[in-house]
Every structure is written in C-alpha cells, then in structure tokens.
C-alpha cells in the first residue's frame, strides 16, 4: 500500500508542474502581445516581457528560444482561436454563399483589432529588415498554416476541396495579404475606408477563390425569394453570434492588457 502511494505522489507532482508550465507559457504570451504592440518587435526586450508576466528571464527561456519563437506562438494562438470560433459560425450555414458572407463579416470585425494588426505588421517588417531571418520565419508561418488553417478551411468550405494544397495555400496567403492591407488602411483612415468597404473588398477576394462552376450555381440558387429570405434570417442570427464572439474577445483582451 505504501509503495503504491509513493508511486502516485510523483505522478501528481509531475502533473502539477505540467499545468503550471502551461499557465506560465500563456502568461508570457499575453505579456509579449502587449510589449510587442507597445514597443515594436525590434525594441521589445525579453526582460520586459518576463517582468510584465511576473516571471523571471529564466522562465522565458524555459518556454521560448527567443523573441521570434514567442511571436510565432502568438500567431499560432490567434490562428487556433479563429478556427475554433469559425467552426460553429460556418457549419450551421448550409450554402457556400452564406458561409462566405459570415466569413467576410468575421474577418471585417478582426480588422478592428488594433493590437493584432500592429503585431502582424511588426512581425513582417522585422522579417523583411532581416533578410537572413526572413525565409526561416516565412517558412515556419507557412508550415503553421499548412498544419492548421488549410485542413480546417477545407472542412468549413468543402467546395474548395478539389484544389491542390499549394493552391489552397496561395489562396490563404492572398486573402491574408488583402486583409492586412485593408485592415491597416482602415485603422489609419476609418472615414476613407470604413468597415463596410473592408467587407466588400474581402468578399470580392473570397469569391475569387471559389471555383467558377460552384460560384455560378450559388448565384442561380440565390435567385429564389424564399431561399433569400431564409438565408437572410440565418445570416442575421449569425451576425449576432459574430458580434458576441468579437465582444467577448475584446473584453478578454482588455482584461489581459490591464497591468
């Protein structure tokens, strides 16, 4: 009996350390978001990231190799959160048109996230300024999309499933690039490029990724008044869900940014 108890105790201790390690990593990532957005990637210091998270410099290096590594963790966390939120929003809609419309509205809401857009621009500018790191960082981000975003997009938009993986990646990169440009200019001049305009241009970009035969049938199917009304009701419901998701994210983010 005593031997069994002694065998269980180390397992409990190991489980506790693992949980504590996950919590520490999450706190460092949240701190890094704030420091990178405030100071820029180039000037952000590991000491400041650790200090804001109330951790030691050693704790940072226990979880990340360098600033590049923690920045990639931020991207991965954002990507995972987006896909988790998009699943319930899109899978409840039966047609490709409705799913694209819901995706457009979700992405347009994301363009309002100042911190996220700043982090995105900072990371890419840093990579461009350091050619010896650019290819490695681009390759890592591309691999991350291959591993997570591409399979999930195929599940949510099965009409794209006939495309080669390389084409899906190109489509994904193009949509992200268009969104980066639209979001940056919307945040710079919201009166000149409002959220409605951002949504319109995102919609055009997304529709370009849909095979012509699918897009044509979608337009034909949308001609029915009854179908259009039914779709309108579903999309209105989905708009409420998207707004709730975005509001919850903003509340969470504001709490995380509170010192």
């Amino acid at each position: 009996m005593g031997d069994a108890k002694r065998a269980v105790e180390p397992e409990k201790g190991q489980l506790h350390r693992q949980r504590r390690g996950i919590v520490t990593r999450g706190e460092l990532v949240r701190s890094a978001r704030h420091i990178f957005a405030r100071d820029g990637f180039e000037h952000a210091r590991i000491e400041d990231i650790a200090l804001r998270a109330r951790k030691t410099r050693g704790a940072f290096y226990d979880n990340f190799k360098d600033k590049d590594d923690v920045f990639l963790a931020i991207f991965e966390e954002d990507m995972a959160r987006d896909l988790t939120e998009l699943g319930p929003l899109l899978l409840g809609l039966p047609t490709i048109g409705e799913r694209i419309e819901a995706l457009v509205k979700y992405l347009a809401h994301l363009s309002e996230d100042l911190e996220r857009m700043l982090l995105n621009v900072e990371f890419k500018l840093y990579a461009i300024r350091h050619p010896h790191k650019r290819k490695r960082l681009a390759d890592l981000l591309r691999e991350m999309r291959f591993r997570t975003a591409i399979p999930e997009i195929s599940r949510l938009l099965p009409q794209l499933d006939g495309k080669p993986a390389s084409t899906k990646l190109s489509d994904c990169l193009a949509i992200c690039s268009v969104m980066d440009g639209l979001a940056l200019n919307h945040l710079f001049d919201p009166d000149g490029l409002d959220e409605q305009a951002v949504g319109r241009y995102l919609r055009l970009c997304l529709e370009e990724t849909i095979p012509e035969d699918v897009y044509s049938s979608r337009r034909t199917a949308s001609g029915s008044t009854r179908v259009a009304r039914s779709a309108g009701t579903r999309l209105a419901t989905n708009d409420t869900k998207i707004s709730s998701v975005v509001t919850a994210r903003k509340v969470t983010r504001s709490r995380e940014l509170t010192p």
Side-chain angles (χ1 to χ4, degrees), residues 4-19:
K5 186 177 180 181
R6 282 193 294 272
V8 169
E9 285 176 353
E11 289 180 9
K12 285 185 177 179
Q14 185 178 3
L15 185 61
H16 176 70
R17 286 192 295 274
Q18 288 174 347
R19 287 175 177 167

Side-chain angles (χ1 to χ4, degrees), residues 194-212:
D194 61 19
E195 189 175 336
Q196 188 175 1
V198 170
R200 183 168 67 252
Y201 291 116
L202 278 172
R203 187 178 300 105
L204 288 172
C205 183
L206 282 166
E207 288 177 347
E208 276 297 309
T209 68
I210 304 299
E212 186 64 32

Side-chain angles (χ1 to χ4, degrees), residues 124-254:
K124 290 172 182 173
L125 287 176
Y126 168 77
I128 292 167
R129 290 190 192 109
H130 298 82
H132 63 290
K133 289 191 172 187
R134 184 198 59 76
K135 186 176 186 310
R136 172 182 165 269
L137 294 175
D139 286 348
L140 286 170
L141 198 53
R142 192 184 309 117
E143 174 60 30
M144 195 185 298
R145 287 195 171 107
F146 256 130
R147 193 175 66 250
T148 56
I150 303 300
E152 188 65 8
I153 287 171
S154 295
R155 185 175 76 91
L156 299 176
L157 298 173
Q159 292 80 0
L160 306 182
D161 220 18
K163 292 186 175 185
S166 58
T167 304
K168 289 180 189 176
L169 178 63
S170 295
D171 287 347
C172 183
L173 291 173
I175 292 166
C176 290
S177 300
V178 170
M179 184 177 167
D180 283 351
L182 289 172
L184 187 62
N185 284 282
H186 169 64
L187 290 169
F188 174 70
D189 184 9
D191 295 326
L193 189 70
D194 61 19
E195 189 175 336
Q196 188 175 1
V198 170
R200 183 168 67 252
Y201 291 116
L202 278 172
R203 187 178 300 105
L204 288 172
C205 183
L206 282 166
E207 288 177 347
E208 276 297 309
T209 68
I210 304 299
E212 186 64 32
D213 56 336
V214 174
Y215 184 55
S216 299
S217 63
R218 172 205 159 198
R219 299 181 93 167
T220 302
S222 66
S224 163
T225 304
R226 189 169 63 182
V227 169
R229 284 176 180 167
S230 175
T233 302
R234 286 193 296 268
L235 287 171
T237 303
N238 231 44
D239 285 352
T240 303
K241 290 180 183 177
I242 292 170
S243 297
S244 299
V245 166
V246 173
T247 301
R249 182 182 286 199
K250 284 179 179 178
V251 170
T252 301
R253 185 67 54 80
S254 65

Side-chain angles (χ1 to χ4, degrees), residues 31-103:
S31 175
R33 283 181 185 276
H34 176 83
I35 300 297
F36 287 146
R38 186 193 70 187
D39 300 343
F41 188 83
E42 200 83 53
H43 299 292
R45 301 189 318 148
I46 287 171
E47 290 84 355
D48 292 336
I49 294 172
L51 181 64
R52 191 172 194 281
R54 296 183 176 88
K55 306 298 176 187
T56 63
R57 185 183 173 93
F60 179 92
Y61 284 113
D62 283 342
N63 288 274
F64 305 103
K65 292 186 293 186
D66 49 26
K67 290 195 296 183
D68 298 357
D69 198 23
V70 73
F71 219 121
L72 287 167
I74 290 172
F75 271 103
E76 193 162 24
E77 188 178 86
D78 284 342
M79 205 177 297
R81 184 187 293 119
D82 290 342
L83 295 174
T84 299
E85 292 173 353
L86 278 171
L89 291 173
L90 300 194
L91 290 175
L93 299 171
T95 70
I96 179 67
E98 291 169 83
R99 289 188 183 190
I100 284 182
E101 192 61 32
L103 182 56

